[in-house]
């Protein structure tokens, strides 16, 4: 028999159906309830794929649904080829199938569906389905069965099947999100566990590289020092970027534009295919603004990966920044933003672009055009930008690529950056005795070498106990530099012991940004500076000079 395809659209009737009791005694205009539209889309009719070879029976089923005022579109198929094509093209919300057809069967239709989708409702509508066959059908994944001789239950069965399918999709999504969250938490724990060791391994590269740069009369050593330092910085930046992305950082902090995008490029290195050309233009890289580093990194990474996926055949990904003054005409209704100076972050691709329909639903929860997408990425970006008091603008057209502009308010028009040479104070020592305490032998040696090079008398101790013994033998130094994160006797505990033994000089504690340290209650009477790891000799020497030049507080 040749295939028959029937498709019709019915005018909207506010998406309602009538409830009936099992015996059909309830009037059709009684107790009408809304149809549960798939994925919450109330605007379109329900798409029904009907597997039926008898046009008369098909019309009876459709009439039953129409009488109950279900707003639907239907496609009628009667063989396997058309059925498979309809699954791909029509993308039905529910399937109503007869049991037996010439050359095809409802059981085969159910089997083919469950190979593709375990949730999509499938209801048998048949005149020959016995009790045993019905139970067997339900066991193999059918949602329900209706006898053609008594179709009054059909509308209620369709409504219930659509509602239960939506609920199941919601549970499946929640379970997958829970598993993803658990994997993410495991990743965060792993990242936190190894980051300390990795940073301690990479720290000497920075110190050694900067120390070699001091040998200006030997260009070979200077070039080697520059290479070692740059490799160390890249490694530390990569560790820090991955750690912050895994752990999250809810606090607001000062963000340097250049550092934000340098970390983004490191994260994108393994994701940009050779067919995609990545270009960045950051102006000005010295610009600083208040924000959540991790959230902004997540937002930019999401937009960049979306852009890459939109260019399967290659293209160009451009990331740029700029400063703009936006007046009230630019701000849309509902945006809690005032006119003023804004930082603009732009992500542009030359990919497939988006249709007007996709743009309309861009920030709709769970809406996605990807096979494996969650439909939450752009919604997350929108909320991140809004939490920073900003706005998003999107320009896209099918086949012409996409451009995202993110606008973040600047408190004031930033001044031009001060040249670095004018900010650097004298680092030269005057023979002051400095005790350096760290459990890392490589770091300890390099710090002492840097201090000796600049005219200080550096002494070392590889533990808090060694520092106390040195002071007992040689007296108190002019300055103590301690690693705050020592395992046996921490930097703060060592300082407390030194103070109990009469030390009243300045101290510098070296610590990572995530390390929590409460000093005031522990160390009254001591001038303590905190220097954030990873270290550079320049930053350390500036802190040393600043600590020594301060007037000691009264004991």
């Amino acid at each position: 028999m040749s295939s028959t395809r029937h498709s019709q659209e019915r005018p909207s009737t506010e998406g309602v159906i009538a409830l009936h009791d099992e015996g059909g005694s309830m009037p059709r205009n009684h107790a009408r309830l809304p149809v549960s539209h798939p994925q919450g889309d109330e605007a379109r009719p329900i798409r029904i794929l009907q597997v039926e070879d008898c046009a008369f029976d098909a019309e009876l089923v459709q009439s039953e649904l129409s009488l109950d005022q279900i707003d639907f579109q239907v496609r009628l198929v009667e063989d396997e080829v058309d059925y498979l094509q309809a699954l791909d093209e029509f993308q039905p919300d529910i399937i109503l199938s007869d049991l037996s057809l010439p050359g095809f069967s409802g059981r085969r239709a159910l089997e083919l569906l469950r190979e593709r989708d375990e949730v999509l409702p499938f209801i048998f509508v048949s005149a020959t389905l016995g009790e045993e066959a019905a139970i067997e059908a339900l066991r193999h994944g059918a949602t329900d069965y209706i006898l053609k001789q008594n179709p009054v239950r059909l509308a209620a069965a369709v409504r219930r099947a659509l509602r239960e399918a939506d609920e199941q999709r919601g549970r499946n999504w929640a379970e997958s999100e829970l598993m993803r969250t658990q994997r993410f938490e495991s990743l965060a724990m792993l990242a936190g566990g190894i980051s300390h060791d990795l940073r301690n391994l990479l720290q000497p590269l920075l110190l050694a590289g900067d120390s070699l740069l001091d040998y200006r009369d030997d260009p070979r050593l200077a070039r080697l020092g520059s290479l070692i330092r740059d490799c160390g910085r890249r490694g530390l930046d990569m560790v820090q970027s991955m750690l912050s992305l895994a752990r999250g950082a809810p606090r607001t902090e000062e963000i340097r534009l250049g550092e934000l995008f340098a970390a983004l490029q490191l994260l994108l290195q393994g994701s940009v295919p050779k067919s995609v050309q990545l270009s960045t233009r950051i102006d000005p890289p010295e610009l600083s603004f208040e924000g959540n580093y991790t959230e902004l990194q997540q937002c930019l990474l999401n937009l960049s990966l979306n852009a890459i996926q939109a260019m399967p055949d290659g293209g160009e990904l451009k990331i740029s920044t700029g400063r703009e003054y936006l007046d009230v005409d630019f701000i849309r209704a509902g945006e809690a933003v005032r006119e003023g100076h804004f930082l603009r972050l732009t992500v542009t691709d030359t990919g497939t672009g988006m249709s007007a329909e996709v743009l309309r639903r861009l920030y709709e929860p769970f809406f996605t055009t990807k096979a494996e997408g969650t439909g939450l990425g752009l919604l997350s970006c929108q909320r991140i930008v809004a939490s920073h008091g900003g706005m998003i603008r999107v320009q896209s057209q099918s086949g012409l690529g996409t451009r995202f502009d993110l606008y973040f308010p600047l408190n004031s028009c930033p001044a031009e950056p001060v040249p670095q040479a004018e900010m650097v104070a004298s680092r030269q020592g005057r023979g002051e005795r400095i005790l350096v305490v760290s459990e890392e032998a490589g770091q300890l040696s390099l710090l002492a070498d840097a201090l000796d090079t600049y005219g200080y008398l550096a002494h070392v101790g590889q533990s808090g106990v060694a520092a106390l013994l040195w002071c007992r033998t040689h007296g108190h130094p002019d300055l103590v530099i301690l690693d705050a994160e020592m395992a046996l006797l921490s930097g703060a505990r060592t300082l407390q012991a030194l103070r109990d033994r009469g030390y009243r000089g300045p101290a510098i504690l070296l610590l990572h940004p995530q390390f929590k340290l409460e000093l005031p209650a522990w160390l009254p009477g001591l001038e303590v500076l905190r220097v954030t790891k990873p270290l550079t000799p320049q930053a350390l020497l500036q802190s040393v000079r600043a600590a020594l030049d301060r007037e000691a507080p009264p004991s």
Side-chain angles (χ1 to χ4, degrees):
M1 179 180 295
S2 62
S3 65
T4 302
R5 202 176 276 151
H6 178 73
S7 178
Q8 63 188 59
E9 292 186 11
R10 303 179 183 273
S12 174
T13 54
E14 301 178 351
V16 297
I17 67 173
L19 289 177
H20 307 278
D21 63 7
E22 294 298 321
S25 61
M26 189 175 291
R28 291 187 182 278
N29 62 354
H30 184 75
R32 292 176 178 173
L33 293 178
V35 174
S36 176
H37 287 70
Q39 299 181 358
D41 187 355
E42 305 292 341
R44 66 170 177 81
I46 302 300
R47 289 193 290 262
I48 299 175
L49 177 57
Q50 192 172 6
V51 184
E52 177 63 73
D53 63 322
C54 177
F56 179 75
D57 287 351
E59 287 293 337
L60 284 178
V61 169
Q62 295 168 29
S63 297
E64 185 70 26
L65 297 176
S66 296
L67 286 172
D68 279 284
Q69 299 186 25
I70 294 182
D71 186 15
F72 68 93
Q73 288 178 288
V74 64
R75 177 172 291 190
L76 187 63
V77 299
E78 61 182 61
D79 61 37
E80 183 170 329
V81 173
D82 286 348
Y83 176 73
L84 291 174
Q85 186 176 356
L87 287 179
D88 292 330
E89 296 178 356
F90 188 57
Q91 296 184 352
D93 302 315
I94 189 170
I95 296 173
L96 307 180
S97 175
D98 197 356
L99 181 62
S100 300
L101 299 89
F104 194 36
S105 70
R107 291 189 181 91
R108 176 60 178 164
L110 176 60
E111 179 185 346
L112 291 172
L113 175 67
R114 290 297 171 244
E115 290 175 356
R116 294 165 170 244
D117 191 321
E118 296 181 356
V119 179
L120 192 73
F122 187 104
I123 297 178
F124 277 110
V125 183
S126 175
T128 60
L129 196 66
E131 184 176 346
E132 291 184 4
I135 294 174
E136 187 69 16
L138 294 175
R139 186 179 294 122
H140 285 83
T143 308
D144 206 341
Y145 66 93
I146 303 292
L147 294 176
K148 290 182 179 179
Q149 301 93 313
N150 185 25
V152 69
R153 200 170 61 86
L154 178 61
V158 168
R159 174 182 59 81
R160 183 178 62 251
L162 290 171
R163 184 186 68 244
E164 290 177 352
D166 277 348
E167 291 172 353
Q168 184 60 47
R169 291 188 186 98
R171 286 193 294 270
N172 291 347
W173 177 86
E175 289 173 2
S176 65
E177 284 300 295
L178 177 61
M179 292 178 63
R180 189 168 70 166
T181 300
Q182 290 173 342
R183 287 196 300 268
F184 204 65
E185 290 174 351
S186 299
L187 173 63
M189 293 177 63
L190 177 63
I194 66 175
S195 64
H196 178 77
D197 291 336
L198 285 175
R199 285 182 293 195
N200 285 338
L201 287 172
L202 292 168
Q203 174 71 80
L205 294 179
L206 282 180
L207 297 173
D210 280 330
S211 296
L212 288 174
L213 286 175
D214 292 332
Y215 293 91
R216 300 295 180 185
D217 54 340
D218 189 336
R220 179 174 166 274
L221 282 180
R223 284 195 302 271
L224 182 60
S226 178
L227 176 63
I228 293 173
R229 181 197 59 189
D230 291 345
C231 288
R233 283 179 178 173
R234 288 186 63 188
L236 286 166
D237 287 344
M238 189 173 294
V239 170
Q240 182 59 39
S241 295
M242 296 186 69
L243 180 62
S244 63
L245 192 63
R247 281 182 170 175
R251 68 184 186 279
T252 298
E253 56 193 313
E254 185 175 347
I255 300 172
R256 284 191 70 244
L257 198 58
E259 293 177 356
L260 176 67
F261 280 90
L264 176 66
Q265 286 182 284
L266 286 172
L267 290 173
L268 285 174
Q269 275 184 351
S271 302
V272 181
K274 293 181 179 179
S275 59
V276 173
Q277 180 182 353
L278 172 63
S279 62
T280 59
R281 183 169 56 82
I282 312 304
D283 180 33
E286 300 87 3
L287 176 66
S288 296
F289 64 101
E290 291 291 319
N292 186 304
Y293 183 91
T294 302
E295 288 186 348
L296 292 178
Q297 192 179 69
Q298 172 191 339
C299 184
L300 290 168
L301 185 62
N302 191 311
L303 293 177
S304 300
L305 293 176
N306 283 350
I308 292 170
Q309 293 173 5
M311 297 183 286
D313 299 323
E316 186 175 2
L317 171 59
K318 296 181 180 179
I319 303 175
S320 61
T321 70
R323 288 178 289 184
E324 296 184 12
Y325 184 87
L326 304 178
D327 57 24
V328 292
D329 295 333
F330 186 85
I331 302 169
R332 295 172 181 169
E335 293 179 331
V337 180
R338 295 181 180 180
E339 65 176 312
H341 294 277
F342 285 79
L343 168 65
R344 174 184 50 77
L345 310 181
T346 300
V347 179
T348 307
D349 68 71
T350 58
T352 55
M354 292 180 281
S355 66
E357 173 65 14
V358 173
L359 283 172
R360 183 181 68 83
R361 303 179 64 186
L362 201 59
Y363 304 113
E364 182 179 310
F366 312 124
F367 172 73
T368 179
T369 58
K370 305 175 187 176
E372 302 296 329
T374 63
L376 295 173
L378 289 177
L379 178 64
S380 175
C381 286
Q382 184 190 45
R383 290 176 176 173
I384 288 172
V385 174
S387 70
H388 285 74
M391 304 169 285
I392 298 183
R393 296 292 184 266
V394 187
Q395 302 174 46
S396 186
Q397 194 172 344
S398 294
L400 298 179
T402 301
R403 169 173 171 153
F404 278 87
D405 290 307
L406 316 182
Y407 294 95
F408 299 94
L410 298 170
N411 293 330
S412 61
C413 187
E416 293 299 320
V418 178
Q420 183 71 16
E422 298 180 15
M423 300 172 60
V424 178
S426 173
R427 307 183 184 117
Q428 195 64 33
R430 307 183 188 101
E432 295 95 332
R433 295 196 310 165
I434 299 178
L435 178 60
V436 185
V437 187
S438 173
E439 292 175 343
E440 298 293 329
Q443 176 177 272
L444 195 63
S445 175
L446 290 166
L447 289 176
D449 287 345
L451 292 169
D452 285 336
T453 300
Y454 278 80
Y456 298 99
L457 297 178
H459 305 275
V460 299
Q462 205 167 351
S463 66
V465 174
L468 296 176
L469 292 175
W470 188 92
C471 290
R472 179 187 298 176
T473 303
H474 302 284
H476 294 308
D478 298 304
L479 171 68
V480 180
I481 301 175
L482 305 102
D483 189 334
E485 303 170 51
M486 292 187 294
L488 297 177
L489 190 61
S490 70
R493 292 286 185 186
T494 302
L495 272 183
Q496 186 181 33
L498 287 172
R499 183 185 183 280
D500 292 344
R501 289 160 176 76
Y503 180 71
R504 293 296 183 271
I508 293 177
L509 282 175
L510 312 177
L511 69 167
H512 289 111
Q514 295 85 6
F515 188 79
K516 295 181 180 180
L517 182 67
E518 298 293 336
L519 286 179
W522 283 32
L523 303 169
L526 291 185
E527 185 74 17
V528 180
L529 294 179
R530 307 185 191 195
V531 176
T532 303
K533 299 178 184 178
L535 295 171
T536 64
Q538 290 79 9
L540 174 68
L541 292 165
Q542 281 185 265
S543 299
V544 167
R545 192 68 264 161
L548 290 170
D549 290 344
R550 288 185 181 183
E551 183 178 349
S555 59

